[in-house]
Amino acid sequence: MAESYKKKRYAAIISPFTTSILHYRKPFVVAWWAASFPGFGHFMLNKYLTAFILISWEVIINNAAHLNEAIYLSMIGRYGDAMEVLDQRWIILYICMYVFSIWDSYRLTIEMNKHYTMAYRDNYPIIIKNTSSLEMNLVDKKSPILALFWSLLTPGLGNLYVTRILSVIFILTWWLIITYQANVYTAIHYTLMGDFSHASQSLIPQWFLFIPSIYCFAAYDSYVSAVEINKLIDRYMSRELKEKYQDLEFKMPL
């Protein structure tokens, strides 16, 4: 019974499509990312379905309330216009979701840290099923700097490098939708042509203000994922060497 109970506390699951790792996280950091963009906190905790619901809710309700547009108008000093552009029918509903996202991600981080502590004391059990006919997830070390570089080049590529396909689907899909709606690529084209006036005028603030959050989060998440994957491999190899290759008569040095 004890052995069966222990097996319920897995520290990591490696599948052909992603690597989900349970590791210690600071609750305030997770809550901060949830505050920057609702859903990102749950995304960090590998709760992809919840994250998808919250991120979709953020984009839909934020646009319905014209919240980002109001923030932009406030930033340039047009406070009266900012108040007028807000849709009061949606903003209260948005606030409820926003506060819940921060609170729930903070709460879950504390609980997962407890689970991680127990799993670590249970010799860090891992489920590895990393091959299929569609994809293969090699358990090898990744360079955090390379993961960061590819994410900065295009959000989602860093997660693709560390083989977190589910993360790639989320981040890259939303990145394409948001940048297209914000006319980012049109603005880049005008910028390369030296027409800075048209570049700034072509941007749509309501969609553009989503970009800093998703861009920075993609870089952060891919970097941390690479670091934690490397730690996971070190722990796994250390355990395998001790259990299968170390002579039982070997005396550890004091």
Side-chain angles (χ1 to χ4, degrees):
M1 178 65 70
E3 184 66 23
S4 174
Y5 175 72
K6 288 182 180 180
K7 288 182 179 179
K8 294 180 181 179
R9 293 195 293 261
Y10 291 105
I13 298 177
I14 300 175
S15 74
F17 306 102
T18 192
T19 301
S20 297
I21 304 174
L22 192 64
H23 61 88
Y24 179 80
R25 297 178 175 89
K26 293 183 179 180
F28 282 106
V29 173
V30 178
W32 187 89
W33 280 113
S36 70
F37 202 111
F40 281 176
H42 292 79
F43 190 92
M44 291 177 63
L45 300 174
N46 300 310
K47 291 180 66 65
Y48 296 112
L49 182 58
T50 304
F52 175 76
I53 294 172
L54 290 173
I55 292 172
S56 300
W57 185 280
E58 158 69 14
V59 174
I60 293 171
I61 304 301
N62 190 311
N63 278 291
H66 300 282
L67 179 59
N68 280 353
E69 187 177 353
I71 293 173
Y72 167 74
L73 292 172
S74 298
M75 292 171 63
I76 61 176
R78 295 168 58 183
Y79 304 108
D81 292 339
M83 292 298 297
E84 290 181 5
V85 80
L86 276 176
D87 191 329
Q88 303 299 329
R89 296 171 299 176
W90 291 102
I91 193 64
I92 296 177
L93 186 62
Y94 175 87
I95 293 172
C96 296
M97 176 275 300
Y98 185 79
V99 174
F100 171 81
S101 176
I102 298 172
W103 170 81
D104 194 52
S105 60
Y106 183 89
R107 176 190 66 84
L108 283 171
T109 305
I110 294 175
E111 295 303 319
M112 286 190 176
N113 286 344
K114 296 177 183 178
H115 190 97
Y116 164 76
T117 301
M118 292 187 292
Y120 188 82
R121 292 175 179 175
D122 286 343
N123 203 21
Y124 212 77
I126 302 170
I127 297 178
I128 299 179
K129 187 180 179 182
N130 61 330
T131 57
S132 74
S133 59
L134 297 176
E135 188 61 62
M136 180 179 294
N137 183 3
L138 296 178
V139 186
D140 60 338
K141 289 193 172 184
K142 310 293 185 181
S143 169
I145 300 300
L146 276 178
L148 178 63
F149 168 78
W150 285 114
S151 283
L152 292 176
L153 193 64
T154 299
L157 293 185
N159 295 87
L160 189 61
Y161 167 67
V162 297
T163 318
R164 285 168 57 85
I165 306 300
L166 293 177
S167 300
V168 175
I169 295 173
F170 275 95
I171 293 175
L172 194 57
T173 299
W174 280 116
W175 176 255
L176 291 174
I177 292 173
I178 290 171
T179 53
Y180 179 82
Q181 293 293 337
N183 276 342
V184 169
Y185 304 112
T186 302
I188 292 175
H189 170 75
Y190 281 126
T191 301
L192 294 175
M193 297 286 291
D195 192 347
F196 303 109
S197 176
H198 278 85
S200 60
Q201 291 175 5
S202 64
L203 289 173
I204 301 176
Q206 173 59 37
W207 286 93
F208 182 76
L209 289 187
F210 286 127
I211 292 178
S213 296
I214 192 171
Y215 185 79
C216 294
F217 175 77
Y220 173 83
D221 185 64
S222 61
Y223 181 88
V224 171
S225 296
V227 170
E228 293 302 327
I229 286 173
N230 292 344
K231 291 180 181 178
L232 170 67
I233 293 173
D234 287 339
R235 294 190 185 107
Y236 175 72
M237 295 303 297
S238 175
R239 188 185 68 187
E240 292 295 298
L241 288 171
K242 288 179 181 179
E243 292 180 353
K244 298 180 180 180
Y245 297 101
Q246 183 167 292
D247 189 342
L248 295 177
E249 301 299 324
F250 179 78
K251 294 183 179 181
M252 295 294 292
L254 296 177

